Amino acid sequence: MSTVTTTYKVSGMTCGHCEGAVTEEISRIEGVSSVKAVAASGEVTVTSAADLDDAAVREAVDEAGYALVGRA
């Protein structure tokens, strides 16, 4: 099974709690197998079974209380 890894820029993350909130919401998207959020760089790396719909990722990030800037 192949996987797709995509890195996104997210604004507003400042701490470990922020990383956890973003990770939790993105992890709920169907097909996502891992999420690594790094507040210091504002980057979130997502591994999934297929290319994700950016709108779904934006909605998850919004739900966590942050803003998706776009793909890094």
Side-chain angles (χ1 to χ4, degrees):
M1 179 169 123
S2 65
T3 59
V4 177
T5 301
T6 309
T7 302
Y8 297 93
K9 291 293 281 183
V10 174
S11 66
M13 293 190 303
T14 58
C15 64
H17 173 77
C18 301
E19 294 169 350
V22 170
T23 298
E24 182 179 335
E25 291 298 331
I26 293 176
S27 293
R28 294 179 179 172
I29 299 172
E30 186 175 340
V32 170
S33 56
S34 74
V35 180
K36 172 88 172 123
V38 180
S41 65
E43 292 187 342
V44 180
T45 303
V46 182
T47 303
S48 55
D51 200 25
L52 296 176
D53 177 22
D54 285 348
V57 176
R58 182 175 308 280
E59 185 177 321
V61 171
D62 286 350
E63 185 67 29
Y66 305 94
L68 179 68
V69 176
R71 293 185 184 221

